[in-house]
Amino acid sequence: FNDLPGNYVNQFNTTRILTTAFLNWNIIKGLNFRSNLGVTNGNSRNGFFTGANSLERSLSTGSLSRVSNTTGLDITWENILTYQKDFGKHNIGATVLTSYVKGTEDNSSASGTGQLLPGQSFYALQNNPANLAISSRYVSSTLLSGAFRLNYNYAGKYLLTVTGRSDGSSVLSEENKWQFFPSVAAAWRISDEAFMQNSKILSDLKLRASYGYAGNSAVRPYSTQSGLILVPYSWNDVQALAYSLDPQTGNPNLKWETTGTLNFGVDFGMWNQRVVRSVDVYDSKTSDLLLQRSLPATSGVSRVVQNIGKTRNRGIEIGLQTV
């Protein structure tokens, strides 16, 4: 019966508008300011209807009608200030960055069963005589960031980079929203030294070393709060509603998951770059892992997101490119 016209309808309509704009200003020689703005608006609608004679409703009574509407808004705004200057054999570069990222989603849905006129499909939900239900949901999160980077090199042979960024995430606890992540990297291009100029085999040779921190705050918004869910029940032949605790309890102490990585590497090219190889040795340690933990039933809830555990990854990476 699913092949009957109108007996099964699952209709999706989605509209997404992506808007970008930027401002670029060369303030003075070597000093540049750029601002990037991106806005994405999304709207989607899902209309669903399955008739009483469909396979999906073979074990149920009457038809099912449902409509769901979702509106989303994502905003990304970046401001970047860069400076570049040469002083003889010395070269200095600096970058300062601010970033604002916000995402929101607003959803509402309604459903019912037993549509009296199947031809009305999901367009007249009020004509469903049973199981009329409505629900709505709103989710929002924001990430604010500030960062800087300083680059220095002497004669193109000795290179140093120092970076630092501070991030604030709305999905973490009030006391732990902000975290600073520093890093430093240095390199020595040995192939530019005088004693390497007559090498007929090695055309490029560079040693590298770096150490830095990175962070992760990928948890569901509102994981720091304990929620409520609506539970219908019957008492003395009367239908009623009551609130109960959400199975996932909130954790007001959520903080950033951090990873520190130490890396040593060497890049070298042979025979005028016909063979290029790279070797990296790394040691990465992650602490305060953001994980979902199961709780005993006696607690009244079943799970919670916590900063628990740590990991360590060590290894060697080898790359080879030939012409």
Side-chain angles (χ1 to χ4, degrees):
F1 290 104
N2 277 20
D3 292 334
L4 294 176
N7 200 43
Y8 181 87
V9 180
N10 192 11
Q11 183 184 94
F12 284 89
N13 293 290
T14 301
T15 301
R16 179 166 295 177
I17 301 175
L18 293 85
T19 306
T20 60
F22 74 91
L23 169 67
N24 195 73
W25 179 21
N26 292 313
I27 304 172
I28 59 174
K29 184 179 180 181
L31 183 62
N32 178 266
F33 173 77
R34 182 182 177 95
S35 183
N36 302 315
L37 177 64
V39 179
T40 301
N41 283 282
N43 294 278
S44 64
R45 181 175 184 270
N46 174 219
F48 179 83
F49 174 79
T50 178
N53 297 322
S54 64
L55 293 176
E56 285 76 5
R57 302 297 293 176
S58 59
L59 300 179
S60 304
T61 302
S63 61
L64 170 64
S65 305
R66 183 177 64 245
V67 175
S68 178
N69 295 281
T70 302
T71 300
L73 175 64
D74 296 299
I75 301 174
T76 301
W77 184 26
E78 297 176 330
N79 295 287
I80 308 167
L81 184 67
T82 58
Y83 178 73
Q84 195 78 28
K85 184 69 174 179
D86 291 324
F87 302 93
K89 293 185 177 182
H90 304 273
N91 179 271
I92 297 176
T95 302
V96 178
L97 164 72
T98 63
S99 175
Y100 170 83
V101 179
K102 184 176 181 62
T104 61
E105 182 180 295
D106 191 349
N107 171 270
S108 62
S109 62
S111 63
T113 61
Q115 180 69 272
L116 298 179
L117 298 175
Q120 292 183 337
S121 191
F122 53 80
Y123 293 106
L125 295 180
Q126 72 277 6
N127 294 338
N128 286 270
N131 300 314
L132 287 173
I134 59 173
S135 64
S136 62
R137 180 172 61 95
Y138 177 83
V139 178
S140 177
S141 63
T142 304
L143 178 67
L144 292 175
S145 304
F148 71 88
R149 181 179 63 192
L150 298 175
N151 291 321
Y152 170 79
N153 77 75
Y154 176 76
K157 297 185 294 184
Y158 313 108
L159 302 95
L160 177 67
T161 300
V162 178
T163 64
R165 65 176 296 143
S166 186
D167 295 286
S169 175
S170 66
V171 301
L172 303 178
S173 68
E174 289 292 337
E175 298 79 11
N176 301 306
K177 290 185 185 297
W178 288 92
Q179 184 72 35
F180 181 68
F181 304 103
S183 67
V184 60
W188 178 23
R189 191 177 295 279
I190 305 175
S191 56
D192 285 354
E193 298 289 357
F195 59 83
M196 291 287 295
Q197 297 302 311
N198 296 323
S199 176
K200 297 181 179 180
I201 298 178
L202 288 174
S203 53
D204 184 35
L205 179 60
K206 182 170 71 172
L207 296 178
R208 299 177 282 104
S210 64
Y211 184 77
Y213 280 92
N216 172 38
S217 63
V219 296
R220 192 178 69 180
Y222 316 120
S223 293
T224 60
Q225 303 175 22
S226 296
L228 296 174
I229 58 174
L230 199 60
V231 180
Y233 72 98
S234 297
W235 179 78
N236 197 22
D237 295 327
V238 176
Q239 295 290 327
L241 297 172
Y243 278 104
S244 176
L245 289 175
D246 191 303
Q248 178 170 310
T249 187
N251 180 3
N253 300 312
L254 279 182
K255 59 183 178 180
W256 285 87
E257 174 186 304
T258 58
T259 301
T261 302
L262 176 65
N263 186 89
F264 295 99
V266 57
D267 303 320
F268 58 91
M270 305 172 66
W271 299 297
N272 197 28
Q273 300 300 95
R274 293 186 64 84
V275 177
V276 178
R277 297 192 66 179
S278 64
V279 180
D280 284 271
V281 179
Y282 64 89
D283 187 356
S284 180
K285 299 178 182 179
T286 302
S287 59
D288 296 320
L289 288 169
L290 288 167
L291 296 174
Q292 190 175 85
R293 179 181 179 182
S294 297
L295 298 175
T298 53
S299 66
V301 290
S302 60
R303 58 188 183 272
V304 65
V305 177
Q306 288 184 320
N307 294 97
I308 53 177
K310 58 184 178 181
T311 62
R312 184 178 186 183
N313 296 306
R314 291 173 289 178
I316 300 175
E317 293 184 359
I318 301 175
L320 173 66
Q321 178 181 337
T322 64
V323 179

